[in-house]
Structure formats: C-alpha cells, structure tokens
Amino acid sequence: MQVYGSPLSPFVRKVYLVAAEKGVAVEPAPFTPGQPSPGFLEASPFRKIPAIRDGDFTLADSTAIAAYLDAKHPEPPLYPAEPRQRGKAVWFEEVADTLIGPAGASIVFNRFVAPKVLGRPGDEEAAAKGEAALPPLLDWLETQAPAQGWLVDGCFSIADIAMATMLRTLLYVGWGPDPAKRPATAAWYERVAARPAWREVAAIEDQQAARFAPA
Ligand SMILES: N[C@@H](CCC(=O)N[C@@H](CS)C(=O)NCC(=O)O)C(=O)O
C-alpha cells in the first residue's frame, strides 16, 4: 500500500501505525508538498494528507483509511466489536483528531513547521491560542488514562493510536506527556510507544525528522 505524506504528520502517522499493527507493508507514494501530482489529487481531492493508493483503490483521511484497513485486515481488530467499546474508541479518535489535533497543530505549525521546515517565521499569536486550548484537553485525558493497559476497557484500539499520535507530535514543541504533571498519561503513552509497531514507525519518522534537527 502506498501512503501520501510523511509520518511527521500525526494523521499520516496514524495510518502508518494502523498498517504496522496489522502487518500491512507501507511504501511512501511520490509526494512533494505544495506540488500536488495528478495521482495525489485523485487520492486526495481536497489536498490533505494522508491518502493511500492500494492497487486501483484510492482513499483520503486517516479515519477513513483506518476503517478501511480494519475491514480489509481484521486481525488484530482496532475498532472493537462490542457496541459500547466501539462507540468509546471512535469517540477517543474523534477527540484526538478534532480537538487535541487542531490545538496542537497551531503550536506545531507556528513553532516547528514554519521556522524549521518552511524557513519562515510562525504566527506566535496562533501558537499561544493553541497552548491555551491544550491544558483542559490534556487534563481530561489524564482522567481517562488507565493505570494499566489501554484506553478502552483494556483493549488496545484505534483510541490508543489516535491519541498517542497527537501526543507524539506535541513532543516536537515541548508539550509531550510529562510524568511530573500527568503521570497516568505519561505511563500509558510509554506503553503505547513500547509496542513493536510504534517503534517501527518511529524509526522511519526519526530518520525524516533528523533533516530538521539543528546542525
Ligand atoms: N481529518 C484529516 C485531517 C488531515 C490533515 O489535516 N492533514 C494536514 C497535515 S497534518 C494537511 O494535509 N494539511 C494541508 C492542508 O490542509 O492543505 C485526517 O484525519 O486525515
């Protein structure tokens, strides 16, 4: 399966993680930010990453792709079958993607992507707004992080992947899980980050991130 976009993006990373958990081989699709190829536009008409090309099938959006992969490769299941667990897992994914993601994105874009990747100054006011939005969300997550195991009734699921990918992105701007401030979240995050699939994807990402490290 080909994936458009770098796993430095939390949404692309989500797709890489789902694929890795399921043992689905991923290769990067040819993709240059700002220069959309016809192949990319076919897969992602609204120009967002991630998108995939799987044989003659294309699809955009991390949530749609995760659902597709879970249906195509049912083992291990990442969307629980039990109704309440399924509902909760999708809800965690939604909170990660639509609340924590955007708050983090305004920090990450303006303090990391703009200065380090695009070589231009970020919008500090927008970054500060993101910083103001994050603490209540992270405090809530601290109440949800279990002492052991995973977010939804002890079953590893899309909830853990979707939340943890957002937290990994926050690490780039000093907002990663802090054991002193939110110990349950930090311990749960470490459990996610110890999984073989996570380590596999982190190794790919670390190689790409090295390009932006200070010389
Ligand atoms: N809901 C989408 C969000 C994807 C998204 O926002 N991707 C960002 C990168 S992290 C993007 O493509 N931004 C470029 C743009 O909006 O043009 C998903 O889950 O895939």
Side-chain angles (χ1 to χ4, degrees):
M1 180 178 78
Q2 287 193 314
V3 177
Y4 292 94
S6 159
L8 283 162
S9 147
F11 297 102
V12 177
R13 188 185 304 117
K14 194 213 290 190
V15 167
Y16 269 72
L17 288 167
V18 168
E21 287 286 347
K22 290 176 176 293
V24 173
V26 161
E27 57 175 277
F31 175 74
T32 311
Q35 293 172 30
S37 65
F40 172 62
L41 289 174
E42 182 199 357
S44 185
F46 306 116
R47 302 173 182 224
K48 299 260 187 202
I49 53 170
I52 58 160
R53 180 171 295 279
D54 191 16
D56 63 358
F57 179 68
T58 58
L59 188 65
D61 192 279
S62 66
T63 300
I65 297 165
Y68 165 73
L69 288 176
D70 203 53
K72 185 172 177 192
H73 305 279
E75 292 301 324
L78 291 176
Y79 290 86
E82 195 280 322
R84 293 179 182 202
Q85 292 182 347
R86 167 82 65 109
K88 285 284 184 193
V90 171
W91 185 60
F92 275 111
E93 183 179 14
E94 185 70 8
V95 172
D97 288 4
T98 65
L99 296 175
I100 297 181
S106 45
I107 309 173
V108 172
F109 184 83
N110 291 299
R111 298 221 180 117
F112 179 78
V113 178
K116 295 204 170 150
V117 181
L118 305 176
R120 59 175 162 85
D123 175 346
E124 188 46 38
E125 202 178 317
K129 268 194 191 153
E131 274 190 323
L134 267 182
L137 295 164
L138 298 180
D139 287 345
W140 165 81
L141 183 57
E142 179 69 5
T143 69
Q144 304 296 306
Q148 288 173 355
W150 314 113
L151 288 173
V152 178
D153 291 349
C155 304
F156 184 77
S157 75
I158 193 69
D160 301 286
I161 291 176
M163 269 308 164
T165 186
M166 292 304 161
L167 298 198
R168 176 163 169 115
T169 292
L170 290 173
L171 278 166
Y172 283 94
V173 284
W175 272 88
D178 178 347
K181 282 193 189 141
R182 298 185 183 91
T185 306
W188 157 81
Y189 179 82
E190 284 310 314
R191 291 195 292 280
V192 180
R195 293 178 71 85
W198 183 278
R199 292 156 78 109
E200 193 185 305
V201 175
I204 299 169
E205 178 181 344
D206 286 345
Q207 255 186 347
Q208 299 188 10
R211 278 185 284 154
F212 307 115

